[in-house]
Amino acid sequence: MPTVSIGRDRLFQALGRTYTEEEFEDLCFKFGIELDDVTTEKAIIRKEKHLDEEEASEDEEVIYKIEVPANRYDLLCLEGLAQALRIFNGLDPIPSYSVASIGKESMLKMHVKSETSKIRPYVVCAVLRGVTFDEARYNSFIDLQDRLHQNICRRRTLVAIGTHDLDTIEGPFTYEALPPKEINFVPLKQTKNFRADELMEYYKSDMKLKKFLHIIETSPVFPVIYDCNRTVLSLPPIINGAHSAISLKTKNVFIECTATDLTKANIVLNTMVTMFSVYCQKKFEVEPVEVIYPDRQSYICPDLSFYQMVVPLSYITAIVGVSLPAHEVAGLLNKMQLHVENSVLEENQTKFTISVPPTRSDILHPCDVAEDVAIAYGYNEIPKIKLPSLKPQSLNQFSELIRAEIGMVGYTEVLTWILCSYKENFTMLNRKDDNSTAAINGNPRTADFEVVRTSLLPGILKTVGHNKDHPKPIKIFEVGDIVLLDEKKDVGASNRRHLAALYCGATSGFELIHGLVDRIMEVTGTPFVSPGDKSGYYIQSSDEPEFLTGRQASIIYKGNQIGTFGIVHPQVLDNFDIPDPCSFVEVNIESF
């Protein structure tokens, strides 16, 4: 999720009070965001330059790094974050954004040429009048553009934002697509005039801008925006012109967004104007611009109207899991900037008509409304219940009980890959492939994932081999699935749940593994019986190639072999680069 860096003191000033770090962390949690880090600007610079850490001095500004949801574009700047938190705390009402009421004849116009369809076909525009910038507001304005470019704009491939000092340019404007050699202008932060193709070469050495060049550099035409005097405003999505650059003295800001995705362009434009219209002479008012396309169709943007959604109360409470009255749900929605127009009783159920503001482009479905109710109510306040439909499988319940028992004996659980190499599954275990046991991948990406394991032994031995310097003894276990070919199944194979445990130390620990087998049988209520008796379990000599001859046994349960244990063969240990003796047991626990 995106992380927004904001000065603590400015944030607290905007919120109207100061918080301790713990109090602010708690507020963030309640609102559904997270205080990720507390640092200073100098500390960030030192970290970027890999310099030694120094103690922060009292005059250094404290920076809060706040993690926000990726689809909450209104929280990517201090203005939007402070506004959202003030509404959440009940300090401010939901803002009412409006488009200035001016006639079409007085409206600024953007004419789109047909050639733009070859590269970036859409453009949307708006004007912020009477803006008052100071250094902090100006920096926040620029930072919001950068964060939008990284987020919803997908590094300018979908949308590119251009901001201009309207007093230095003159409408009507034209959005064109021309051959690079026909475009000449002085780019931002430069004094020299460049041709567009020359500019592409020049910016290949620029660390910030070179990553955007690929978007248009191979195109026969480049998008460009002119004013009525043929002054270049911008070469989207690369750079703005120096002539119309905004500054602290700028009072009227012209914003244009060129795009390959019109929906995202409108979201980006709405975010920019709603966040900074708070600094306009007429608060929350934005001046519209008419965009005229080659087919003579025209659109007035931005569209700051609230759109309405009807959501039943029963739907919200069912998702949240708490029975809430209608007036309380309405209050919770207001805290999240969703205004409840009215609630009516239809077919014996209450339905809300909810007005979604232009800042909340993340509200797409009634489930988003229910999520906001849950956030405002508080996730910690929702009682934990076990849904009747969620009945755990008996095998999984039994696996958890077995895990707990083995853990209490002093073994540490490991989790290994269910895929392994062909060599690890057979050759390194002294086993031969009978072509009727293992499910083999037809086209593996790497040699490490060629076969679906037929035993937990390869993963356990690899774990020990990679941790052979760990203090001895090593006592580990795993409860997991293996896969065996099975003609009775429609997919040709079946899963089996196995338990495996290994002891590795100065001695083999065979008696400890034998004791573990007895403990497993004891907790499962299986008695030890004489050979041939099918009422319990017994052990008998076995001859598995992965174990030492004469130091291994099969586990017979109700007449069927369900597992084997013994001292691992020295050759197998050497294959896995294990210098110490080991004993191992593996049991099919589905048998129980």
Side-chain angles (χ1 to χ4, degrees):
M1 293 195 293
T3 300
V4 183
S5 298
I6 294 176
R8 180 195 64 184
D9 295 341
R10 280 196 68 225
L11 178 59
F12 287 175
Q13 183 182 3
L15 293 176
R17 59 158 289 190
T18 59
Y19 293 83
T20 64
E21 190 174 316
E22 292 74 18
E23 288 173 338
F24 186 72
E25 201 165 1
D26 184 57
L27 174 62
C28 288
F29 177 80
K30 289 178 179 176
F31 185 64
I33 58 180
E34 182 181 356
L35 179 59
D36 187 52
D37 191 17
V38 180
T39 183
T40 65
E41 192 168 344
K42 290 182 180 178
I44 294 171
I45 295 171
R46 285 194 293 269
K47 188 174 181 179
E48 288 174 349
K49 294 183 177 180
H50 304 287
L51 301 176
D52 294 335
E53 291 288 332
E54 298 177 11
E55 288 190 12
S57 59
E58 292 184 2
D59 61 334
E60 286 191 53
E61 184 186 14
V62 176
I63 304 293
Y64 277 178
K65 288 190 171 184
I66 302 170
E67 199 173 81
V68 301
N71 59 353
R72 285 297 301 270
Y73 314 116
D74 57 313
L75 303 182
L76 291 174
C77 62
L78 178 141
E79 289 74 14
L81 184 62
Q83 177 179 280
L85 289 175
R86 285 182 65 87
I87 295 170
F88 183 77
N89 286 333
L91 300 175
D92 287 343
I94 302 170
S96 180
Y97 301 100
S98 63
V99 174
S101 181
I102 57 176
K104 267 195 175 184
E105 63 282 352
S106 305
M107 207 176 287
L108 281 172
K109 292 174 174 55
M110 171 70 76
H111 296 273
V112 182
K113 301 294 185 179
S114 59
E115 292 80 8
T116 57
S117 62
K118 300 176 183 177
I119 185 162
R120 290 177 84 84
Y122 306 111
V123 63
V124 290
C125 314
V127 175
L128 295 176
R129 290 277 183 187
V131 176
T132 303
F133 279 129
D134 57 25
E135 187 173 356
R137 293 175 181 179
Y138 176 84
N139 290 337
S140 182
F141 187 69
I142 300 300
D143 287 345
L144 178 59
Q145 293 178 59
D146 290 339
R147 288 165 186 157
L148 289 171
H149 277 149
Q150 292 298 314
N151 194 323
I152 184 175
C153 300
R154 296 294 184 268
R155 297 191 175 187
R156 307 189 189 182
T157 55
L158 300 182
V159 186
I161 309 164
T163 55
H164 311 276
D165 188 335
L166 185 59
D167 296 327
T168 64
I169 51 182
E170 189 177 348
F173 306 101
T174 56
Y175 176 41
E176 306 177 20
L178 300 174
K181 293 182 180 181
E182 296 181 19
I183 303 171
N184 285 274
F185 71 107
V186 180
L188 194 64
K189 297 181 181 178
Q190 300 292 331
T191 55
K192 174 187 170 184
N193 197 69
F194 283 86
R195 213 170 58 197
D197 55 338
E198 298 171 342
L199 200 58
M200 292 292 111
E201 289 299 319
Y202 180 78
Y203 281 139
K204 283 181 179 178
S205 60
D206 188 289
M207 293 302 294
K208 182 179 179 181
L209 295 177
K210 68 178 182 180
K211 55 191 174 187
F212 306 121
L213 300 181
H214 70 93
I215 302 171
I216 63 168
E217 67 178 339
T218 58
S219 172
V221 290
F222 286 3
V224 60
I225 297 178
Y226 290 102
D227 76 348
C228 68
N229 299 315
R230 301 300 288 174
T231 301
V232 172
L233 275 64
S234 67
L235 182 75
I238 310 301
I239 194 75
N240 290 343
H243 180 83
S244 59
I246 66 170
S247 66
L248 293 177
K249 297 179 180 178
T250 298
K251 289 296 178 186
N252 301 306
V253 181
F254 178 70
I255 303 173
E256 41 86 4
C257 300
T258 58
T260 57
D261 186 317
L262 183 58
T263 300
K264 285 183 169 55
N266 282 316
I267 292 172
V268 170
L269 182 66
N270 287 352
T271 302
M272 288 295 300
V273 298
T274 52
M275 293 303 100
F276 285 88
S277 59
V278 67
Y279 300 133
C280 288
Q281 190 173 6
K282 293 182 178 179
K283 198 172 181 180
F284 301 131
E285 184 177 277
V286 181
E287 183 178 312
V289 175
E290 184 181 9
V291 179
I292 304 169
Y293 282 90
D295 59 2
R296 297 292 181 183
Q297 285 192 328
S298 68
Y299 302 89
I300 295 174
C301 49
D303 179 7
L304 299 181
S305 60
F306 285 53
Y307 76 90
Q308 294 188 330
M309 181 184 293
V310 177
V311 184
L313 174 62
S314 58
Y315 177 86
I316 295 172
T317 55
I319 287 185
V320 175
V322 180
S323 181
L324 298 171
H327 70 274
E328 186 174 350
V329 172
L332 295 173
L333 288 171
N334 274 310
K335 288 178 69 174
M336 302 303 291
Q337 303 181 58
L338 301 178
H339 182 62
V340 177
E341 291 286 336
N342 55 63
S343 57
V344 295
L345 192 65
E346 289 183 15
E347 300 175 356
N348 294 322
Q349 66 170 334
T350 303
K351 292 185 177 181
F352 293 117
T353 301
I354 297 166
S355 292
V356 182
T359 53
R360 294 300 309 274
S361 58
D362 59 301
I363 304 295
L364 304 173
H365 185 274
C367 67
D368 299 315
V369 175
E371 181 189 20
D372 271 11
V373 171
I375 292 171
Y377 183 76
Y379 283 125
N380 283 349
E381 305 301 321
I382 299 173
K384 296 179 181 178
I385 58 172
K386 184 178 286 187
L387 298 178
S389 59
L390 296 178
K391 293 181 179 178
Q393 294 181 342
S394 57
L395 178 60
N396 290 338
Q397 284 184 306
F398 181 70
S399 299
E400 289 300 321
L401 293 171
I402 285 288
R403 285 187 176 99
E405 286 294 337
I406 306 300
M408 286 189 283
V409 175
Y411 285 75
T412 300
E413 186 174 11
V414 297
L415 183 65
T416 62
W417 300 112
I418 197 169
L419 298 177
C420 62
S421 72
Y422 182 89
K423 188 177 179 182
E424 289 167 351
N425 198 66
F426 292 107
T427 311
M428 293 175 70
L429 297 181
N430 293 340
R431 294 176 176 174
K432 292 183 179 179
D433 182 12
D434 59 5
N435 296 319
S436 63
T437 306
I440 298 174
N441 291 338
N443 185 26
R445 292 293 298 272
T446 71
D448 292 329
F449 301 131
E450 295 174 321
V451 180
V452 187
R453 66 187 179 188
T454 58
S455 166
L456 299 180
L457 182 55
I460 294 273
L461 291 177
K462 282 179 72 176
T463 302
V464 176
H466 284 89
N467 292 275
K468 54 181 176 286
D469 294 330
H470 191 280
K472 302 298 184 297
I474 296 174
K475 299 166 69 177
I476 57 176
F477 80 97
E478 180 173 10
V479 177
D481 283 4
I482 65 155
V483 173
L484 301 175
L485 294 179
D486 187 348
E487 293 180 356
K488 297 177 182 178
K489 300 292 182 180
D490 57 349
V491 294
S494 61
N495 286 35
R496 308 283 172 83
R497 184 69 52 85
H498 278 206
L499 158 68
L502 180 138
Y503 178 94
C504 177
T507 61
S508 67
F510 178 77
E511 70 283 359
L512 298 173
I513 288 295
H514 191 170
L516 183 62
V517 172
D518 292 339
R519 177 59 182 165
I520 293 167
M521 295 303 177
E522 181 184 354
V523 298
T524 56
T526 307
F528 183 78
V529 296
S530 301
D533 189 340
K534 295 186 178 181
S535 63
Y537 85 99
Y538 60 89
I539 61 173
Q540 66 182 25
S541 177
S542 65
D543 188 25
E544 300 295 338
E546 62 267 29
F547 293 113
L548 199 60
T549 303
R551 294 291 184 272
Q552 56 176 293
S554 297
I555 303 167
I556 310 300
Y557 173 74
K558 293 185 177 180
N560 298 312
Q561 181 179 335
I562 63 166
T564 312
F565 69 96
I567 299 174
V568 181
H569 198 287
Q571 181 60 53
V572 173
L573 295 177
D574 187 57
N575 291 339
F576 285 90
D577 195 23
I578 300 172
D580 301 294
C582 299
S583 289
F584 176 81
V585 60
E586 184 164 359
V587 181
N588 178 0
I589 63 173
E590 286 191 27
S591 306
F592 300 114

